[in-house]
Amino acid sequence: MLSLQKEKFLKPDDDSFASERDCVGSDEVTTFVYNSNHSLTIQAQRERLPIRNYRDQILYCLENYQTLVLVGETGSGKSTQVPQYLYELGWHLKGNGIIGVTEPRRISAITLADRVSNERGEILGDTVGVSVSFVDKHCAGTCVKYMTEGILLREMLADPLLQKFGVIIVDEAHERNILTDIVLGLLKKIMKKRDSLKVIIASATIDAEFFRDFFNLRTTSKTGQKKDSSVILSVEGRMYPVDVYNMQATCPDYVKETVNTIMKIHEKEKPGDILAFLTGQEEVMDVVDLLREHIQDRPKDDLQVLPMYGTLTNSDQLKVFFTAPKGTRKAIIATNIAETSVTIPGIVYVIDSGFTKLKWFDAESNTDSLIIVPISKAAAEQRAGRAGRMRNGKVYRLYTDEEYEKLSDQTPPEMRRSDLCSTILFLKALGIDNILRFDFPSPPPAKNMLASLETLFALDGLDRNGDLTNPIGYFLAELPINAMMGKMLYNSIQMGCSEEILSIIAMVQVQSVFSKPTSGQGQLTARVKKREFEVEEGDLISLLNVYSGFVKNGRTKEWCGQHYVIYRNLKRAHELRQQLLSLARNKIGMPIVSCDGDVRVLRRCITSGFFPNAAYLHHSGVYRTCRGNKELHIHPLSCLYTLRQPQYIIFCELLHTTKVFMKDLTVIEPQWLTELAPHYYHKAAVKYEDR
């Protein structure tokens, strides 16, 4: 029986409970935590985790301060143990409400919730629940709930003051994605209204002083003295050294060098799994294919190659956590999804390409680009922290020591480099009218905010007073897709093509669906098969052809193999479409109608949503945005790349590598711009005609 008697806790600076700590004091290695007692019972493991030494101090801080900034080394147990400490103390029984834990990614929330439920000897969905896309396991008796930040934001729409939550733990706050900053800003606003709500900001690498000051409301005590409402607590762990190796010269091709390094490690180093970091799905699959080709030439298959990226299905992502067969080494090729709380057991060697893919918003041309840029020093240390959890680890950085010193200290928060349309819509839906006065942890640039407000006004999502319009504005705020796609879906109702537009939206979310064989004959056959789906109207119509063929033939792996398309991505697209279809029908009441393959109707509908992303063919032979005059190029993977260049096109996304490439293109008629968006393009069109 759990006692509800209030316990007495020591202050954080009282080290009576501090036990001996194993530290490595060397400037030449990276250090982090590993729980070496994995062979013990779960309860024994919990007792020996580094964070156990700080249990009473954590609880003391939380009872005396409204906000706790918890800085814990990787593997210290903060993500799994702190919620249990609060539960065991009886916070859920004292009227404080559910203990909510937010994670930046769904796979993090699922694995952590599963771990905690196993530690408690219960079934997931009972005391410990999880709520992410496609997975919702909780009941009326759930006391600890793991969820993505997006789910917590949806909770705020129904319950603006989060009355059913007593504690919110924002895990992996150092990522500073746009949802994290929205959550932090809203939590600060809620805490001013609800002094009973406690917030824990937790991460392995975090600017602790920044968050302490941001949440410090400085309350007045009964004696009239000012009292801080936030505090920092650092948790140290038992650490294993990680040796770091840098390149002697600049690496010309980090994708090929990743393959070479993995094979050298596999041939020369002691047993231990490998984790390699790349920028995106395409690079990940390129390395996976090259490694599997190398394996085919070996006498024995002793290397298991697994991809890891965000758009993989849950079951495919979970494969990286399973133990490899005896005598086999795992090589996991991942994006930065494996950089944070997703801790893969058995990793000893880490390969760091030194690059990451970030979204970057250009307010002048009103375009959001994907840019491959060098990582920050904080990200490099976080990647190194994935190695050596079984023993001393090794990190191979595919860049020189001089290049490392030139890296920025922190990655710029996503709030300062992104399109803010979705952020504005959500805050407006919550009833926050004055967006400019909202207290963001890192305020976005004024030009980005102004450009996003102009876009929403052009999409009829906001009126002249800056309020949500009815019904378009509320429709856009309700959907979990960007505003341009939402407007395209809304217009599809009147244009009679919502069935096809739903499929196009789902296909755009999963990146590439066409496979790329490594053999010469395979590449030739794949190209022939791809041409069967391609049409001169553009990539979006081609993607619709792929999805229609997939569904028409029973969504089978055999059909995908015959046509050289990726089954897992099409399966994921189907799941996303079903989710969006359910939302459109149940919450919005949107009718689902088909245009029976009328491509002209589909192109007009696409134009009605993506008209801000229009580009024309300049007389110099390159494309330029119709507003902003930014120079653009057709991506080599586009179906329009080898065809005669159309005069006007619409793009969905920009990718900035050697040039600024347009992806997911649709050919349009120029008169549609002034017809469907006269308020946006009338002056620009006149100016262009005058030239």
Side-chain angles (χ1 to χ4, degrees):
M1 186 70 180
L2 184 64
S3 174
L4 300 183
Q5 184 178 358
K6 189 172 182 178
E7 298 181 24
K8 179 181 177 182
F9 302 111
L10 299 178
K11 293 183 178 180
D13 56 357
D14 189 332
D15 60 357
S16 302
F17 283 91
S19 64
E20 183 179 356
R21 302 166 190 151
D22 302 322
C23 299
V24 180
S26 172
D27 294 334
E28 298 180 0
V29 295
T30 305
T31 56
F32 63 98
V33 169
Y34 168 64
N35 175 20
S36 60
N37 303 294
H38 58 88
S39 60
L40 302 177
T41 63
I42 288 180
Q43 190 58 36
Q45 289 182 48
R46 291 191 62 200
E47 291 296 320
R48 299 201 181 193
L49 278 172
I51 204 167
R52 180 62 181 85
N53 301 325
Y54 298 85
R55 172 184 177 272
D56 301 316
Q57 295 169 325
I58 290 170
L59 296 172
Y60 174 89
C61 288
L62 207 58
E63 289 201 353
N64 289 274
Y65 296 89
Q66 197 171 1
T67 304
L68 169 62
V69 181
L70 184 61
V71 184
E73 295 283 353
T74 303
S76 60
K78 60 187 181 301
S79 302
T80 58
Q81 302 309 304
V82 173
Q84 293 189 73
Y85 295 158
L86 296 174
Y87 174 79
E88 291 161 359
L89 185 62
W91 278 65
H92 61 297
L93 298 176
K94 293 188 292 183
N96 290 323
I98 296 172
I99 301 160
V101 187
T102 71
E103 296 292 336
R105 296 181 178 86
R106 56 192 176 92
I107 188 64
S108 306
I110 293 171
T111 54
L112 289 171
D114 187 58
R115 170 67 185 182
V116 173
S117 61
N118 286 339
E119 288 184 2
R120 298 195 53 77
E122 299 174 352
I123 298 173
L124 181 61
D126 193 2
T127 303
V128 181
V130 63
S131 184
V132 299
S133 300
F134 307 117
V135 179
D136 192 2
K137 295 183 179 180
H138 69 278
C139 62
T142 296
C143 301
V144 178
K145 185 177 180 180
Y146 285 84
M147 54 194 157
T148 55
E149 291 154 342
I151 295 296
L152 181 62
L153 291 175
R154 294 291 164 184
E155 293 271 4
M156 290 180 185
L157 286 175
D159 181 14
L161 292 180
L162 296 177
Q163 296 283 5
K164 66 179 181 181
F165 289 92
V167 183
I168 299 293
I169 302 174
V170 182
D171 199 16
E172 302 301 336
H174 75 277
E175 287 201 10
R176 299 297 305 278
N177 62 50
I178 202 164
L179 291 180
T180 302
D181 276 17
I182 295 174
V183 165
L184 295 178
L186 289 171
L187 285 176
K188 182 177 180 179
K189 197 174 184 68
I190 293 171
M191 291 165 71
K192 292 178 180 178
K193 301 286 186 181
R194 277 190 63 201
D195 56 6
S196 61
L197 178 66
K198 304 288 186 177
V199 173
I200 299 176
I201 311 298
S203 178
T205 56
I206 196 172
D207 189 351
E209 291 79 10
F210 172 81
F211 282 101
R212 178 197 60 195
D213 296 341
F214 178 73
F215 280 100
N216 195 358
L217 305 178
R218 294 193 64 81
T219 57
T220 304
S221 64
K222 295 179 180 179
T223 61
Q225 295 179 336
K226 291 289 185 180
K227 178 186 175 184
D228 290 337
S229 65
S230 61
V231 66
I232 299 171
L233 179 63
S234 295
V235 176
E236 296 180 0
R238 301 181 179 89
M239 295 173 278
Y240 280 76
V242 177
D243 297 326
V244 178
Y245 301 92
N246 290 82
M247 298 281 287
Q248 294 182 348
T250 302
C251 174
D253 187 341
Y254 60 83
V255 173
K256 291 183 179 179
E257 191 62 36
T258 298
V259 176
N260 295 335
T261 305
I262 290 174
M263 295 309 300
K264 288 177 183 177
I265 292 172
H266 184 51
E267 293 169 358
K268 299 180 180 180
E269 293 289 352
K270 297 178 181 178
D273 294 339
I274 304 168
L275 174 61
F277 287 99
L278 294 168
T279 66
Q281 175 184 337
E282 291 183 3
E283 289 182 358
V284 166
M285 294 313 300
D286 285 344
V287 171
V288 168
D289 293 338
L290 288 170
L291 285 172
R292 287 174 177 170
E293 187 176 351
H294 278 286
I295 294 171
Q296 292 176 356
D297 301 331
R298 297 174 64 88
K300 57 179 181 178
D301 186 6
D302 54 356
L303 182 66
Q304 183 182 22
V305 183
L306 297 171
M308 180 71 165
Y309 50 87
T311 55
L312 272 177
T313 61
N314 289 346
S315 58
D316 288 333
Q317 288 189 28
L318 290 172
K319 288 179 181 178
V320 303
F321 297 97
F322 301 151
T323 304
K326 187 175 180 180
T328 301
R329 188 200 301 268
K330 277 194 304 186
I332 299 162
I333 318 302
T335 61
N336 61 353
I337 188 176
E339 193 176 295
T340 54
S341 62
V342 179
T343 302
I344 303 170
I347 299 298
V348 177
Y349 308 100
V350 165
I351 301 170
D352 180 5
S353 66
F355 290 92
T356 188
K357 189 180 291 185
L358 296 179
K359 277 191 175 181
W360 208 277
F361 182 68
D362 183 358
E364 293 182 1
S365 60
N366 200 30
T367 54
D368 216 349
S369 304
L370 276 175
I371 304 176
I372 297 176
V373 296
I375 61 174
S376 63
K377 290 180 180 177
E381 297 302 315
Q382 187 71 10
R383 290 181 177 188
R386 302 291 100 185
R389 294 178 63 85
M390 296 178 62
R391 58 175 188 270
N392 295 359
K394 293 183 179 181
V395 176
Y396 299 88
R397 290 176 174 165
L398 305 184
Y399 45 94
T400 64
D401 189 52
E402 291 78 11
E403 290 170 338
Y404 172 80
E405 294 300 329
K406 295 178 182 178
L407 298 177
S408 61
D409 292 333
Q410 299 284 341
T411 304
E414 189 178 4
M415 182 67 71
R416 296 188 60 82
R417 51 180 173 82
S418 294
D419 174 25
L420 301 173
C421 288
S422 297
T423 302
I424 294 170
L425 285 170
F426 183 81
L427 294 178
K428 289 286 185 181
L430 279 177
I432 300 173
D433 294 325
N434 195 341
I435 303 295
L436 300 178
R437 296 288 298 275
F438 184 75
D439 195 1
F440 291 104
S442 296
K447 61 180 182 179
N448 289 11
M449 181 70 76
L450 180 61
S452 298
L453 287 169
E454 288 178 346
T455 299
L456 288 175
F457 179 72
L459 293 170
D460 296 326
L462 298 179
D463 60 20
R464 291 186 177 275
N465 296 322
D467 299 324
L468 285 179
T469 56
N470 190 10
I472 298 177
Y474 289 96
F475 181 88
L476 299 181
E478 185 70 27
L479 295 174
I481 54 179
N482 71 48
M484 292 184 192
M485 285 189 182
K487 182 63 183 296
M488 178 176 69
L489 183 59
Y490 179 85
N491 289 337
S492 70
I493 302 172
Q494 286 78 27
M495 294 185 176
C497 56
S498 55
E499 181 82 29
E500 290 83 1
I501 293 298
L502 277 171
S503 302
I504 289 174
I505 292 174
M507 290 292 283
V508 171
Q509 307 298 315
V510 296
Q511 298 182 17
S512 175
V513 296
F514 297 103
S515 62
K516 295 188 293 183
T518 55
S519 66
Q521 183 60 42
Q523 291 176 359
L524 182 62
T525 307
R527 181 59 189 154
V528 172
K529 291 293 183 181
K530 183 180 179 182
R531 285 176 179 167
E532 295 178 2
F533 300 106
E534 293 179 342
V535 291
E536 62 181 8
E537 287 83 2
D539 300 312
L540 295 188
I541 309 301
S542 300
L543 290 175
L544 177 62
N545 290 339
V546 175
Y547 183 80
S548 300
F550 177 63
V551 173
K552 184 178 180 180
N553 290 275
R555 308 197 308 272
T556 63
K557 285 185 178 180
E558 291 74 18
W559 183 86
C560 293
Q562 293 170 3
H563 293 83
Y564 286 78
V565 291
I566 304 172
Y567 172 75
R568 59 178 172 272
N569 286 4
L570 285 170
K571 180 182 176 184
R572 173 71 173 156
H574 181 71
E575 292 174 349
L576 289 171
R577 188 186 186 281
Q578 292 301 109
Q579 182 192 36
L580 194 58
L581 176 63
S582 175
L583 180 64
R585 278 178 170 169
N586 300 335
K587 290 192 175 183
I588 306 172
M590 188 181 81
I592 308 300
V593 291
S594 173
C595 65
D596 297 323
D598 191 333
V599 177
R600 184 179 177 84
V601 170
L602 290 174
R603 291 161 59 209
R604 283 176 55 85
C605 186
I606 293 167
T607 306
S608 71
F610 281 92
F611 60 83
N613 290 358
Y616 69 94
L617 183 61
H618 192 260
H619 60 77
S620 62
V622 299
Y623 281 92
R624 294 185 182 274
T625 51
C626 292
R627 287 185 59 167
N629 211 30
K630 185 174 184 177
E631 186 175 304
L632 305 173
H633 302 268
I634 295 178
H635 195 279
L637 295 180
S638 171
C639 67
L640 301 179
Y641 186 72
T642 57
L643 300 179
R644 181 183 177 184
Q645 292 180 308
Q647 189 65 34
Y648 279 81
I649 55 177
I650 289 280
F651 60 88
C652 292
E653 186 179 53
L654 296 180
L655 178 62
H656 195 165
T657 53
T658 55
K659 300 177 182 177
V660 182
F661 291 108
M662 300 177 288
K663 297 184 66 178
D664 300 324
L665 307 179
T666 303
V667 179
I668 65 168
E669 300 294 334
Q671 62 270 21
W672 294 348
L673 295 175
T674 52
E675 179 185 338
L676 297 171
H679 56 291
Y680 196 82
Y681 276 115
H682 177 67
K683 291 182 180 179
V686 171
K687 182 179 179 182
Y688 176 63
E689 289 169 1
D690 290 342
R691 289 184 305 180

